[in-house]
Amino acid sequence: MLDRLLGRAELKARIEELEEEKRHLERQLDAESERRADAATARQEAEERVNRLEDRIADLEGRLGNESERPDLTVRGTESLRGDRLDAILDRLRSLDTEPEGALTAMIDDEVPDAVSDLLGDRASLVDRAAPCLVCIDDARLVSVALDPPLAPDSFVEWDSGFRLDTDWFHPPDGLTVALVRSNLFAVGVSDDGDLTDVETVETDVQATHSKGGFSQSRFERRRDEQIAAHLDDARSVLDRRDPDRLVLLGERTVLDDLDREAVSVQTVDASGDPEEALADATRSFFTTRLTLL
């Protein structure tokens, strides 16, 4: 993995190819020496080719040695942020005040922008690994971090006198609907001043295991699928009645896909407990921000 990231694997493969070509040419030299006298010209050409290949191999081995001497690039640290700790970190980042266009904020989904690469140099590869992420870097690199806001904005690159960190990217905005969907449980609520209100739940008795005797395995699976489908129909009915403007869907991946509901974010979470408790737990998990020190 490290060889691939540093480009060493490609160099090693090329060296092996050149070594094999060198051996082939040397075998040709031996054969030509035993043949007719006019092989002298071909031998001379082959020797020149071998010499060029040896020079090329030496050059590539030198480059490989230089690559191996480079230190491994690792992040300076990571932390999961929520609640007061998240607010404290965001406030600290917002407190940075520089000259105009001294602070770079960039939301990165895929390719690392040139502005970030120019600032970080080799360490831009750390951003590539962390993406999608929101990067905050000042022009002196006193601050160099990446965040993964739960409600991330569209990609942008922006220079200003401070970092752009909208609260609604990290905390549930008022009016946001959050729903938890599992094969036997559904819970939905609306964010109001950081709390979930107007919570509504649906629980369905879905058979979890196949008992010996009675139904065959195939009949059991078919009946269980029917129970889950009925449960998801009930969940859709609740969402249709509520008709939320902005919806976050959390839960089990299989049923999230089957629900087929448009949402600002869909994420798999592991939340257990009774419906209201599970919904609260899933919401806390979703609105946790990962901080990476670049």
Side-chain angles (χ1 to χ4, degrees):
M1 177 65 175
L2 182 59
D3 283 352
R4 182 174 62 80
L5 290 174
L6 296 178
R8 296 174 61 191
E10 183 177 349
L11 290 175
K12 288 181 177 179
R14 182 55 179 155
I15 288 172
E16 290 178 1
E17 292 175 3
L18 294 175
E19 290 280 12
E20 178 59 31
E21 186 175 352
K22 174 187 170 184
R23 288 191 291 270
H24 176 68
L25 289 171
E26 288 174 338
R27 288 193 296 270
Q28 283 186 328
L29 286 175
D30 293 339
E32 289 294 333
S33 65
E34 297 174 359
R35 294 181 182 179
R36 54 189 182 275
D38 60 356
T41 301
R43 180 183 178 86
Q44 181 179 358
E45 293 175 352
E47 286 176 341
E48 292 175 354
R49 175 62 176 161
V50 167
N51 290 335
R52 288 196 298 271
L53 288 174
E54 287 178 339
D55 292 340
R56 180 58 175 158
I57 288 171
D59 176 62
L60 291 176
E61 287 178 337
R63 290 174 57 187
L64 182 60
N66 292 335
E67 289 289 345
S68 64
E69 293 172 1
R70 292 175 59 183
D72 294 342
L73 293 177
T74 59
V75 298
R76 293 181 291 122
T78 60
E79 183 179 351
S80 295
L81 306 174
R82 65 162 66 96
D84 293 340
R85 177 62 174 167
L86 172 60
D87 291 336
I89 294 298
L90 292 178
D91 287 343
R92 194 174 304 176
L93 289 171
R94 292 188 183 108
S95 69
L96 179 80
D97 187 16
T98 74
E99 297 296 324
E101 298 190 358
L104 174 67
T105 312
M107 183 65 214
I108 301 169
D109 286 330
D110 188 9
E111 186 175 353
V112 178
D114 291 341
V116 175
S117 297
D118 291 343
L119 276 176
L120 293 180
D122 291 341
R123 299 189 71 81
S125 61
L126 300 176
V127 177
D128 191 42
R129 297 177 208 171
C133 61
L134 181 74
V135 172
C136 299
I137 316 169
D138 72 303
D139 55 1
R141 288 183 56 183
L142 298 177
V143 177
S144 180
V145 301
L147 302 159
D148 65 336
L151 296 177
D154 294 334
S155 298
F156 70 89
V157 178
E158 179 177 295
W159 285 98
D160 207 334
S161 59
F163 298 128
R164 178 182 169 192
L165 298 164
D166 291 3
T167 299
D168 287 353
W169 297 345
F170 302 92
H171 293 289
D174 288 348
L176 178 72
T177 298
V178 182
L180 172 65
V181 188
R182 297 206 311 248
S183 59
N184 63 343
L185 179 150
F186 174 78
V188 60
V190 178
S191 175
D192 182 11
D193 196 24
D195 296 323
L196 288 177
T197 62
D198 193 20
V199 175
E200 188 172 355
T201 65
V202 175
E203 289 187 88
T204 302
D205 185 13
V206 175
Q207 194 169 353
T209 59
H210 177 238
S211 59
K212 295 181 180 179
F215 288 107
S216 65
Q217 180 66 33
S218 60
R219 291 182 64 193
F220 159 75
E221 291 176 354
R222 184 168 60 253
R223 180 173 182 180
R224 187 174 188 277
D225 289 344
E226 291 172 351
Q227 291 171 337
I228 294 174
H231 173 70
L232 293 180
D233 284 341
D234 292 339
R236 292 189 193 94
S237 297
V238 173
L239 291 176
D240 288 342
R241 173 165 42 80
R242 287 176 172 250
D243 191 22
D245 292 330
R246 300 186 71 202
L247 173 66
V248 169
L249 278 176
L250 311 173
E252 299 173 3
R253 172 56 58 189
T254 53
V255 291
L256 285 173
D257 292 339
D258 291 341
L259 193 62
D260 191 25
R261 178 69 54 162
E262 185 176 347
V264 296
S265 183
V266 179
Q267 182 171 304
T268 302
V269 298
D270 183 14
S272 58
D274 63 51
E276 292 195 30
E277 178 184 334
L279 176 61
D281 184 35
T283 303
R284 283 191 298 270
S285 176
F286 177 76
F287 282 100
T288 297
T289 296
R290 185 74 166 173
L291 169 69
T292 300
L293 305 179
L294 301 172

